Amino acid sequence: MIPLGWYLTLSATLFTIGLVGFIIRKDLIVMLMCLEIMFNAVNIAFASFSYYNASLTGQVFVLFTIAVAASEAAIGLAIVLALVRNTGINHSDEITQLRN
Amino acid sequence: MNPVVEQAFFTYFFISLCILSIGVIASRNIIHSAFYLLIFLLHVAAVFLFLNAEFLMVIQIIVYVGGVLALFIFAIMVMNIKEELKHKRFVRFALAGVLIGAVFFSGVYLFVKDAKITEKNLPEVDVSLVGKLLYSYYLLPFEILSIVLLVALIGGIILAKKLPREDR
């Protein structure tokens, strides 16, 4: 049987990769994709806690997380679309409307 | 199942999930990132199957692959992605970001590496048990979640609506 620590290590690794990608990428859509990677890492941790504690609460929380992630993707992509259409900016380091 | 086979499958999924997520953040073309993300989400669905969560596997495939990823590809196709190849991919302080990630991962790994487990595992459960728990004990969070989804729907429509010319 696979120990719980392996699943948690997998979750921590994926979360770290998503975090690093969110910090170092310039493109706004790829930053939203890295958010999806982080949500999936947390979902793996919830599901493994649900399995190793013999409780269904973790699966219910994964459902909540998936719904929040879906609404976050819709709102984030709407914001990026509005930004691109109104200013033509697609990269996070070009957003300088608040400077000076 | 045979434990050696189980560990071999887990090792395969660990390595391929890491490679696919690195592919999402390191590929130059943005549509390649979207396809790496597609295969990543399908692999996560397979990991849910290991954890006796078949309902979550189906929800993962329907919501993420069918909804969120279609939304991403729609947004990529609406925008102009030709200029992407001329830009640099990473910010100036990318090395500092990798360093922060390494510190974060080592901290979480030290916290997590010997997690104790009870001997009792989740048996093969029926989906109706998840539904009973969701509609009895977690009824109030479920209703709050429906309001969150409604607000996201209305906000998305209002944000993506085309503004009239004089309001810009």
Side-chain angles (χ1 to χ4, degrees), chain A residues 29-75:
Chain A
I29 296 182
V30 179
M31 287 168 75
L32 285 176
M33 285 181 187
C34 292
L35 275 182
E36 299 297 325
I37 290 176
M38 285 194 272
F39 273 120
N40 275 291
V42 174
N43 283 346
I44 289 174
F46 272 139
S48 62
F49 281 132
S50 159
Y51 181 71
Y52 286 102
N53 281 328
S55 151
L56 280 176
T57 304
Q59 298 196 10
V60 175
F61 270 87
V62 173
L63 278 179
F64 291 161
T65 314
I66 286 176
V68 171
S71 60
E72 172 268 333
I75 290 289

Side-chain angles (χ1 to χ4, degrees), chain B residues 50-87:
Chain B
F50 283 160
L51 295 167
N52 281 355
E54 294 91 356
F55 180 62
L56 290 184
M57 181 196 74
V58 175
I59 288 296
Q60 170 94 7
I61 292 176
I62 290 174
V63 173
Y64 271 113
V65 181
V68 175
L69 205 77
L71 203 63
F72 272 115
I73 292 179
F74 173 73
I76 292 169
M77 289 165 76
V78 165
M79 292 171 197
N80 186 16
I81 59 165
K82 285 295 177 215
E83 58 181 335
E84 175 60 30
L85 300 179
K86 294 200 295 279
H87 274 86

Side-chain angles (χ1 to χ4, degrees), chain A residues 25 29-30 33 37, chain B residues 20 23-42 64-65 68-77 81:
Chain A
R25 276 303 289 252
I29 296 182
V30 179
M33 285 181 187
I37 290 176
Chain B
L20 288 170
V24 171
I25 69 172
S27 63
R28 181 169 283 275
N29 197 343
I30 189 169
I31 202 79
H32 293 169
S33 292
F35 281 108
Y36 276 122
L37 189 68
L38 166 71
I39 308 173
F40 174 84
L41 294 173
L42 291 175
Y64 271 113
V65 181
V68 175
L69 205 77
L71 203 63
F72 272 115
I73 292 179
F74 173 73
I76 292 169
M77 289 165 76
I81 59 165

Side-chain angles (χ1 to χ4, degrees), chain A residues 2 4 7 11-12 16 28 30 35 49-50 57 70 75 86 92 97:
Chain A
I2 300 170
L4 175 61
Y7 280 107
S11 170
T16 308
L28 287 171
V30 179
L35 275 182
F49 281 132
S50 159
T57 304
I75 290 289
N86 287 327
S92 61
Q97 272 89 13

